[in-house]
Amino acid sequence: GAVVSQHPSWVICKSGTSVKIECRSLDFQATTMFWYRQFPKQSLMLMATSNEGSKATYEQGVEKDKFLINHASLTLSTLTVTSAHPEDSSFYICSASRGGGNQPQHFGDGTRLSIL
Amino acid sequence: GENVEQHPSTLSVQEGDSAVIKCTYSDSASNYFPWYKQELGKGPQLIIDIRSNVGEKKDQRIAVTLNKTAKHFSLHITETQPEDSAVYFCAASPAHGGATNKLIFGTGTLLAVQP
């Protein structure tokens, strides 16, 4: 159990467009979902934490108007990169957790975003 | 805030040998320590985790040890196989109580198992 699906796996788009990434927990209810960004050969950087039905909590330095997060159900969270620019190109990964103290985070396979 | 350091950054071993990766953390209140394996182009996969009330945990060829006094924890892989080659991340969860806590990740270790 604990399968997390992320879609799309890879997207290329022009500068100025908005891109939506979906994260779904397939076999469990995810009270909390997390969004990370990972640069090549680097660690995972937490961008925001979202709890179902609540506004996301963003980490310091992450623009909430740039990276819109919606967690409308216990199985789906979305990240929208608005007006994307080349510097937004990165590997974006979501994770999902059942919630409660120290429940494991289960990760999707990431989305490779390339902005031309 | 919590800070996690991980060593070594790269590790090359011969097939069948053991591999050890070490992490230290700064927040003594952290109480949950997972290890993840990330293959190229994939998301991290949870391989083992340990909570602060336990000193050691083992799952087949993988074991994790935790020293709360020294604030360090280690991943041990025995009888390594080429398919163990990947990037391994440790993480610590600062305890804030209540809802799921975020993870602070180490910088990763690239493990190469030579056949």
Side-chain angles (χ1 to χ4, degrees):
Chain A
V3 178
V4 176
S5 174
Q6 193 171 334
H7 180 82
S9 57
W10 179 56
V11 59
I12 301 175
C13 61
K14 293 181 179 180
S15 183
T17 58
S18 293
V19 179
K20 180 183 282 188
I21 302 170
E22 292 186 350
C23 180
R24 294 180 184 273
S25 56
L26 300 185
D27 54 359
F28 68 100
Q29 292 187 326
T31 304
T32 307
M33 289 186 170
F34 303 82
W35 288 95
Y36 295 82
R37 185 171 179 176
Q38 187 177 33
F39 292 102
K41 298 184 179 181
Q42 294 191 23
S43 189
L44 288 80
M45 181 189 77
L46 179 65
M47 298 175 66
T49 302
S50 79
N51 291 294
E52 184 264 340
S54 302
K55 289 184 177 181
T57 301
Y58 290 81
E59 294 299 301
Q60 189 174 5
V62 178
E63 300 176 57
K64 62 179 181 179
D65 295 330
K66 174 74 171 177
F67 300 99
L68 301 178
I69 292 172
N70 183 279
H71 190 170
S73 77
L74 285 172
T75 59
L76 173 65
S77 177
T78 60
L79 168 68
T80 301
V81 183
T82 62
S83 187
H85 292 285
E87 58 266 28
D88 298 323
S89 299
S90 192
F91 192 51
Y92 292 88
I93 315 175
C94 72
S95 72
S97 172
R98 288 179 173 87
N102 292 329
Q103 289 294 317
Q105 290 185 30
H106 302 282
F107 284 81
D109 273 340
T111 296
R112 173 97 29 218
L113 175 62
S114 295
I115 309 298
L116 304 178
Chain B
E2 175 65 283
N3 181 54
V4 178
E5 295 189 356
Q6 183 171 346
H7 299 281
S9 57
T10 59
L11 179 60
S12 181
V13 299
Q14 290 294 318
E15 181 177 0
D17 288 349
S18 295
V20 180
I21 303 171
K22 298 181 179 181
C23 288
T24 60
Y25 60 99
S26 60
D27 187 347
S28 58
S30 289
N31 57 9
Y32 174 64
F33 308 91
W35 285 89
Y36 288 87
K37 174 184 180 182
Q38 186 177 28
E39 297 177 338
L40 190 63
K42 299 284 188 178
Q45 177 189 5
L46 178 67
I47 56 172
I48 196 167
D49 57 10
I50 191 168
R51 288 175 170 76
S52 59
N53 58 345
V54 176
E56 183 175 358
K57 184 177 179 180
K58 189 175 182 180
D59 182 4
Q60 299 182 15
R61 297 187 296 109
I62 296 174
V64 56
T65 58
L66 171 65
N67 184 326
K68 287 194 298 181
T69 302
K71 289 188 284 187
H72 66 71
F73 55 113
S74 300
L75 177 71
H76 304 253
I77 305 174
T78 59
E79 301 173 29
T80 54
Q81 301 166 3
E83 50 265 38
D84 293 329
S85 298
V87 178
Y88 291 80
F89 290 99
C90 64
S93 181
H96 294 299
T100 299
N101 300 316
K102 60 185 181 183
L103 293 176
I104 307 300
F105 281 84
T107 49
T109 296
L110 175 60
L111 174 64
V113 180
Q114 308 298 330

